[in-house]
Amino acid sequence: MANKTQEVGGIHFPFPFTPYSIQKDFMAELYQVLEAGKIGIFESPTGTGKSLSLICGALSWLRDFEQKKHQEEARLLETGTVPLSDGQEQPLSLSSSCEETPDTLRPVGEPDWVTQFVQKKEERDLVDRLKEEQVRRKKREERLQQIRQNAQLKYAAKRVRQEEEEMERVLRLSREALAAGAAAELPEQPACGEEDLVLAEYESDEEKGAAGGVDQDEDGPEEEHVTKIYYCSRTHSQLAQFVHEVQRSPFGKDTRLVSLGSRQNLCINEDVKTLGSAQLINDRCMEMQRSKRGKKSRAEEEKPKRRKQERRATCPFYGYEQLQLLRDQVLVGVKDIEQLVALGKEARACPYYGSRSAIPAAQLVVLPYQMLLHAATRQAAGIQLQGQVVLIDEAHNLIDTLTGIHSAEVSGSQLCQAHSQLLQYMERYGKRLKAKNLMYIKQILYLLEKFVTVLGGNTKQNPNTQSLSQTGTELKTINDFLFESQIDNINLFKVQRYCERSMVSRKLFGFTERYGTVLAPSREQPKLAGFQHFLQSLQPTVTQTSVTPVEEGEARVPRLASPLMHIESFLAALTTANQDGRVIVSRQGSLSQSSLKFLLLNPAVHFAQVVKECRAVVIAGGTMQPVSDFREQLLACAGVEAERVVEFSCGHVIPPDNILPLVICSGPSSQQLEFTYQKRELPQMMDETGRILCNLCTVVSGGVVCFFPSYEYQRQVYAHWDKSGLLARLAVKKKIFQEPKRANQVEQVLMEYSRCIKCCGQAGGTVTGALLLSVVGGKMSEGINFSDNLGRCVVMVGMPYPNIKSPELQEKMAYLDQTLPRSPGQPPPGKALVENLCMKAVNQSIGRAIRHQKDFASIVLLDQRYARPPILGKLPAWIRDRVQVKATFGPAFAAMRKFHREKSVPS
């Protein structure tokens, strides 16, 4: 594929082929948004090459930005002076992480010689920094070039590592043999191995200052972050697809790209991976790092040493030289997550930390939503957004993602289980814990007791057998919940910090792992045996587990994290500002089924830091309509001025006559189509839907995908058609498939659906394809490709409005009505939210069909409410401009027959 450079508005955009005109417009607009430091909302329908437009547009801007910056640096180093007149060119000479400016305001009345001296010193400091940065950049480029040209360097380093590891293995076996011989002569020590379970002495911020967290790297000074682009998307498969597009683009060979992922996806230590839970993997990894660095707390240093103490495990993949080599290998070529893991295994270096160490020098960082949008995760990953560019792709559900990341829910069963575990832990190790640890543990126990009391239960009884006298759901403000729970006198910020730094949930999990199996005889046996029995009673659905110790290495299902880990997330959520969230108290039949849920009402509070720190932010997607949600709920509430927001929406690349969007208001028997909650379950409505599909299937060859508002309604309609005989009529023309509820069955159903369509197209006969009954918001309404014959017609039954009776939705509507201004002639913000949620789901579903320039399909909207102008206005422009509203079924059927007859004839 030959590269072709396109010039748009004086800017050169390398492109792998001749781009569509809409791609040229997209790249030019994106370039201007990044150059001007704006917030862009970009919509480009699936099949229009959005990913390539993002890659070539953004990396062309970065190329020019770096070139201008290097030219400015060279000029400054040559002259040795800094222009101080207006400071307009000053930012180009500074790295993205530097915020100092030489024109800082001076106190009034300072002598001129003082001002000049300070200015001269700042000029010299700036020149010195530029020289250091230039030296670092030159060394990095030389190092990477050497790796590119001399592959033998990598294999030589690998041989050295293998020799060192073999020597270490021999030494370790010798030590173990000596230790085993010595241990045979000594009496067994019952407390051996418990040191890791006891909490180290805890120092609060007041005592410790800003000494830092548990996950800081101490391997030398931190490298300066170059200006870069952070690209994030929803799933790892979408990120991998984007990386492959970069590899095929003109920028594939020269771009320093880093793919980030979680420890769960990147860990290559088999002993750690078997823990299963992401939280357990994280905690175990950090614990092994501390062992590697040999850090000890003051309490550990003062503790008398045992003659034979169990050696702490360290990770063999966390070595400085190994990670440095892997970092350079990551920067040399563009790699996705799978390739990064393979490279880490080959280099015997941790891909998680190797990729993290490559962030400062990277030009393009590819990462999942959660890693960028969650502040604590962002900080732990070493991501610095100051002055950087962020591209958020597949952003149609960005608001829901932000809300979900920062919401938390805990059940009554989890609360009781955590309370029992922590109480038993304190009873066993209380005499060995320092006063501050005991104070915080007692505070956590008190919080758990009060949470259970709010639900109407008791921590001293089994939650599965506790029936609640009062049932129902209540919504409370954060402050009201804290007062009602009688915990308003506890500093939750300090408790949250204690949980994070002491890793009490990890210690608690180790404690339950140790004593949840067979216990050695001791005087504490009855108490801990009762504890084991109680924990098993909290999990009635789990079958009798084997008592074989974990160390024997048998294959086991992934272990669940400690319930305290979930509760920590809930405690963190309670530190949100009172007006930005609500607590939902849900009391069901028993305490174990009841729950406390934190609902985030204002996701903008967590997005504000991103837009404030970044140079520019681009929110992109295939179907971004309606964009009012992004403007009002996200950007305006995050403090973004309206003039900083730029909207761009392009049409589709398909010819206008390759799509037929229809709104059908009535069926073949003149039954008005309005699938409201009150009417959609009527037999005549379900019969009319079946008759419409029977007619459509006679004129559409290939695949027909029909979306229903919910799984329950799809089940009702299917059962009704089965009884009435409509299902048999449909089966004459199409083989019928249903979307499965279980995610692991989706791929199999799609394969059978695809195979059926292919076979019918080749064999001929009465069956002309397949009919797939799907659900809006289900497994097949997003991310599934129904191109060509797989989706020649998409049918939307009714309008998928969310459940208006949902307490969460009602509270969100009330919140928006109170906080957002009402525009003249527009519905209240709460009502607009409901319509927007509905139409976003519709747009995602109907966008499954048209996937490339030569594709064609019809889109049928079965509900007369789609004909209303406000609803039509929320459809994507490329569909809205071509939609036809048919009041009766006859003209609609004629248009369908004509369209598919013409398109089915080979050209």
Side-chain angles (χ1 to χ4, degrees):
M1 187 160 43
N3 295 337
K4 298 186 178 182
T5 300
Q6 302 295 315
E7 184 171 342
V8 183
I11 303 167
H12 295 277
F13 294 102
F15 214 78
F17 48 81
T18 303
Y20 303 127
S21 60
I22 60 174
Q23 289 179 307
K24 294 180 181 179
D25 296 340
F26 188 107
M27 291 187 293
E29 189 68 23
L30 176 63
Y31 190 103
Q32 295 304 324
V33 165
L34 302 188
E35 182 69 16
K38 302 277 189 178
I39 308 295
I41 302 175
F42 280 65
E43 181 180 51
S44 181
T46 304
T48 57
K50 169 170 59 70
S51 295
L52 264 178
S53 301
L54 280 170
I55 291 166
C56 296
L59 290 178
S60 293
W61 171 83
L62 185 62
R63 171 204 63 201
D64 294 348
F65 177 85
E66 288 179 343
Q67 184 179 357
K68 286 187 286 186
K69 183 184 177 198
H70 294 163
Q71 289 172 351
E72 178 67 9
E73 286 177 359
R75 188 180 68 80
L76 290 173
L77 290 173
E78 183 180 353
T79 61
T81 59
V82 183
L84 296 173
S85 57
D86 56 8
Q88 292 300 310
E89 296 181 358
Q90 172 75 30
L92 290 175
S93 64
L94 295 175
S95 68
S96 61
S97 60
C98 183
E99 298 178 9
E100 299 178 32
T101 55
D103 55 343
T104 306
L105 293 176
R106 309 292 177 203
V108 178
E110 265 195 357
D112 291 343
W113 68 270
V114 174
T115 302
Q116 291 174 4
F117 175 81
V118 173
Q119 289 177 348
K120 289 291 184 183
K121 184 178 183 303
E122 288 181 346
E123 291 174 11
R124 289 194 299 272
D125 291 345
L126 177 59
V127 170
D128 290 341
R129 285 200 302 274
L130 292 177
K131 288 179 179 178
E132 291 173 4
E133 188 176 331
Q134 198 172 53
V135 170
R136 281 197 302 269
R137 185 169 63 244
K138 187 176 180 180
K139 284 183 178 179
R140 181 179 66 236
E141 290 171 354
E142 289 175 352
R143 192 171 66 244
L144 298 183
Q145 187 64 25
Q146 186 180 16
I147 291 175
R148 286 192 189 97
Q149 294 178 351
N150 188 6
Q152 294 178 354
L153 181 69
K154 179 175 71 173
Y155 298 110
K158 184 179 177 182
R159 283 197 303 272
V160 171
R161 285 196 308 276
Q162 288 174 341
E163 291 171 2
E164 291 175 350
E165 287 163 7
E166 180 63 21
M167 181 66 70
E168 177 63 26
R169 188 180 70 84
V170 173
L171 290 173
R172 187 175 67 250
L173 290 173
S174 301
R175 284 194 298 264
E176 289 173 356
L178 289 172
E185 302 172 3
L186 294 173
E188 184 181 355
Q189 298 183 14
C192 181
E194 291 192 7
E195 287 79 7
D196 287 344
L197 301 181
V198 181
L199 289 162
E201 182 177 359
Y202 179 72
E203 295 178 342
S204 62
D205 289 342
E206 290 82 357
E207 300 166 323
K208 195 174 179 180
V214 296
D215 198 24
Q216 288 182 337
D217 292 321
E218 298 176 356
D219 299 323
E222 185 179 357
E223 187 178 353
E224 200 79 21
H225 283 239
V226 303
T227 301
K228 60 177 58 48
I229 296 167
Y230 287 98
Y231 171 90
C232 60
S233 192
R234 194 170 53 89
T235 65
H236 282 289
S237 61
Q238 290 168 341
L239 293 172
Q241 185 179 354
F242 178 83
V243 172
H244 296 157
E245 291 282 358
V246 175
Q247 290 172 332
R248 291 192 290 266
S249 77
F251 297 90
K253 292 182 179 179
D254 302 323
T255 301
R256 300 190 301 275
L257 181 146
V258 175
S259 295
L260 298 183
S262 64
R263 286 181 176 90
Q264 201 169 20
N265 289 321
L266 289 174
C267 180
I268 57 174
N269 188 325
E270 293 299 329
D271 293 336
V272 177
K273 287 179 67 176
T274 54
L275 293 173
S277 161
Q279 186 65 52
L280 293 178
I281 290 174
N282 291 344
D283 290 343
R284 180 61 176 152
C285 175
M286 290 187 285
E287 188 178 288
M288 295 176 85
Q289 285 175 55
R290 285 197 299 277
S291 299
K292 183 82 173 179
R293 290 196 287 260
K295 290 175 65 176
K296 291 184 179 179
S297 68
R298 191 168 59 200
E300 287 176 320
E301 290 173 350
E302 294 173 356
K303 195 183 298 181
K305 295 182 179 178
R306 299 178 181 273
R307 282 192 297 171
K308 294 294 178 185
Q309 188 171 1
E310 190 175 295
R311 183 182 173 89
R312 289 188 178 185
T314 60
C315 183
F317 306 102
Y318 188 76
Y320 179 78
E321 292 184 2
Q322 298 163 263
L323 292 175
Q324 293 297 300
L325 181 62
L326 181 61
R327 176 200 64 186
D328 293 343
Q329 289 292 328
V330 167
L331 292 172
V332 163
V334 175
K335 301 171 184 67
D336 62 17
I337 290 289
E338 286 74 20
Q339 293 167 328
L340 180 59
V341 169
L343 186 64
K345 289 179 178 178
E346 181 185 346
R348 292 192 60 77
C350 175
Y352 178 77
Y353 282 102
S355 58
R356 272 179 48 166
S357 63
I359 292 175
Q363 296 169 306
L364 179 58
V365 179
V366 179
L367 68 166
Y369 272 178
Q370 291 80 353
M371 196 171 287
L372 183 113
L373 299 175
H374 191 264
T377 308
R378 192 165 65 234
Q379 183 179 2
I383 295 168
Q384 297 182 10
L385 295 182
Q386 189 68 43
Q388 309 292 13
V389 170
V390 167
L391 305 180
I392 304 176
D393 201 1
E394 302 298 334
H396 55 273
N397 59 354
L398 178 59
I399 296 175
D400 292 339
T401 300
L402 279 164
T403 302
I405 290 173
H406 297 94
S407 296
E409 184 173 13
V410 291
S411 67
S413 180
Q414 289 173 325
L415 293 169
C416 287
Q417 192 174 3
H419 184 275
S420 176
Q421 289 178 358
L422 197 56
L423 187 62
Q424 295 284 344
Y425 180 89
M426 188 179 71
E427 288 178 355
R428 181 168 181 84
Y429 300 119
K431 293 180 181 178
R432 300 174 63 179
L433 297 176
K434 297 293 184 180
K436 189 149 286 188
N437 276 316
L438 283 173
M439 179 194 75
Y440 277 112
I441 287 177
K442 288 178 179 179
Q443 282 190 352
I444 296 171
L445 286 170
Y446 177 78
L447 289 169
L448 296 173
E449 289 176 9
K450 291 303 179 182
F451 289 158
V452 172
T453 302
V454 165
L455 287 173
N458 190 326
T459 56
K460 297 178 181 179
Q461 299 176 21
N462 190 319
N464 294 311
T465 59
Q466 288 189 61
S467 298
L468 303 184
S469 57
Q470 180 185 357
T471 60
T473 301
E474 289 184 89
L475 272 98
K476 301 179 182 296
T477 65
I478 298 174
N479 287 345
D480 287 345
F481 174 77
L482 297 179
F483 281 119
E484 184 178 327
S485 305
Q486 300 177 0
I487 60 173
D488 53 296
N489 59 330
I490 292 182
N491 189 329
L492 294 178
F493 291 94
K494 286 190 174 182
V495 174
Q496 180 193 357
R497 277 198 299 272
Y498 172 78
C499 291
E500 289 175 355
R501 294 181 178 176
S502 70
M503 296 179 68
V504 61
S505 58
R506 170 64 190 169
K507 304 287 185 182
L508 201 57
F509 179 79
F511 173 68
T512 55
E513 281 273 286
R514 185 179 182 88
Y515 294 111
T517 56
V518 177
L519 299 170
S522 73
R523 59 180 181 164
E524 289 167 323
Q525 170 73 20
K527 184 184 297 184
L528 290 170
F531 164 60
Q532 175 192 358
H533 177 74
F534 180 76
L535 291 184
Q536 289 177 348
S537 72
L538 297 181
Q539 299 173 347
T541 57
V542 180
T543 57
Q544 183 70 28
T545 56
S546 170
V547 295
T548 307
V550 178
E551 287 77 8
E552 291 190 10
E554 292 184 4
R556 303 178 67 175
V557 295
R559 293 173 285 176
L560 296 176
S562 164
L564 188 59
M565 295 177 182
H566 298 284
I567 294 160
E568 286 177 7
S569 300
F570 182 71
L571 291 174
L574 291 180
T575 62
T576 305
N578 183 59
Q579 69 273 15
D580 291 332
R582 297 290 183 270
V583 178
I584 303 171
V585 182
S586 176
R587 301 181 180 94
Q588 303 301 321
S590 67
L591 177 60
S592 62
Q593 296 173 331
S594 303
S595 65
L596 299 174
K597 180 179 180 180
F598 174 81
L599 174 66
L600 181 68
L601 295 177
N602 181 19
V605 71
H606 296 286
F607 197 61
Q609 187 178 6
V610 175
V611 296
K612 181 181 179 181
E613 292 184 1
C614 289
R615 173 194 179 97
V617 177
V618 173
I619 303 169
T623 51
M624 298 295 289
Q625 294 293 334
V627 297
S628 58
D629 282 358
F630 297 101
R631 275 188 169 274
E632 296 167 5
Q633 294 183 43
L634 205 56
L635 300 179
C637 291
V640 178
E641 300 85 358
E643 53 270 18
R644 193 185 173 197
V645 181
V646 175
E647 285 184 34
F648 175 85
S649 180
C650 62
H652 213 295
V653 294
I654 60 168
D657 58 352
N658 273 25
I659 181 174
L660 177 64
L662 294 175
V663 175
I664 301 180
C665 301
S666 62
S669 63
S670 300
Q671 171 70 45
Q672 290 296 306
L673 301 178
E674 190 168 359
F675 292 86
T676 61
Y677 286 111
Q678 296 79 16
K679 297 180 181 179
R680 69 185 190 184
E681 294 181 8
L682 295 174
Q684 56 267 35
M685 290 294 291
M686 293 189 279
D687 287 338
E688 197 76 337
T689 305
R691 284 190 285 267
I692 291 172
L693 280 177
C694 284
N695 280 279
L696 296 183
C697 288
T698 61
V699 297
V700 179
S701 60
V704 177
V705 184
C706 181
F707 286 100
F708 290 86
S710 68
Y711 282 104
E712 177 59 25
Y713 187 57
Q714 180 203 343
R715 187 193 63 79
Q716 289 180 357
V717 171
Y718 188 89
H720 181 81
W721 288 349
D722 193 22
K723 288 182 181 179
S724 66
L726 276 167
L727 204 60
R729 287 176 56 191
L730 281 169
V732 172
K733 284 293 183 182
K734 303 287 182 185
K735 185 174 181 180
I736 301 171
F737 294 86
Q738 291 188 79
E739 176 179 326
K741 274 193 172 183
R742 298 176 62 178
N744 59 358
Q745 297 175 342
V746 170
E747 188 173 349
Q748 181 184 352
V749 172
L750 285 174
M751 286 177 60
E752 293 176 2
Y753 172 77
S754 176
R755 192 182 301 116
C756 173
I757 292 171
K758 186 176 181 180
C759 292
C760 292
Q762 294 173 349
T766 57
V767 178
T768 60
L771 170 64
L772 178 60
L773 305 180
S774 302
V775 176
V776 175
K779 313 293 186 301
M780 298 181 180
S781 63
E782 187 176 335
I784 303 295
N785 186 351
F786 291 114
S787 64
D788 300 320
N789 277 339
L790 295 182
R792 288 306 182 197
C793 178
V794 175
V795 181
M796 180 66 61
V797 178
M799 299 187 69
Y801 280 107
N803 182 8
I804 198 70
K805 295 181 181 178
S806 162
E808 292 96 327
L809 182 57
Q810 288 182 348
E811 193 65 23
K812 180 77 172 179
M813 291 170 65
Y815 173 80
L816 294 178
D817 287 338
Q818 293 171 4
T819 56
L820 295 182
R822 181 174 179 177
S823 303
Q826 297 296 320
K831 184 179 178 182
L833 168 70
V834 175
E835 287 188 352
N836 289 347
L837 289 173
C838 170
M839 293 308 297
K840 280 182 183 293
V842 170
N843 292 340
Q844 278 301 306
S845 298
I846 63 180
R848 300 302 91 211
I850 303 293
R851 311 302 286 182
H852 57 84
Q853 187 180 22
K854 296 182 179 179
D855 207 353
F856 69 89
S858 55
I859 297 171
V860 180
L861 306 176
L862 298 182
D863 200 306
Q864 63 183 4
R865 290 174 293 176
Y866 283 112
R868 299 172 185 170
I871 300 298
L872 285 175
K874 297 180 189 295
L875 290 170
W878 62 279
I879 295 177
R880 181 177 63 238
D881 296 342
R882 305 169 191 179
V883 71
Q884 301 177 29
V885 178
K886 303 294 183 180
T888 58
F889 184 73
F893 181 72
M896 285 283 294
R897 183 169 52 194
K898 181 176 182 294
F899 174 82
H900 284 279
R901 184 180 294 166
E902 292 176 353
K903 292 300 173 186
S904 298
V905 176
S907 56

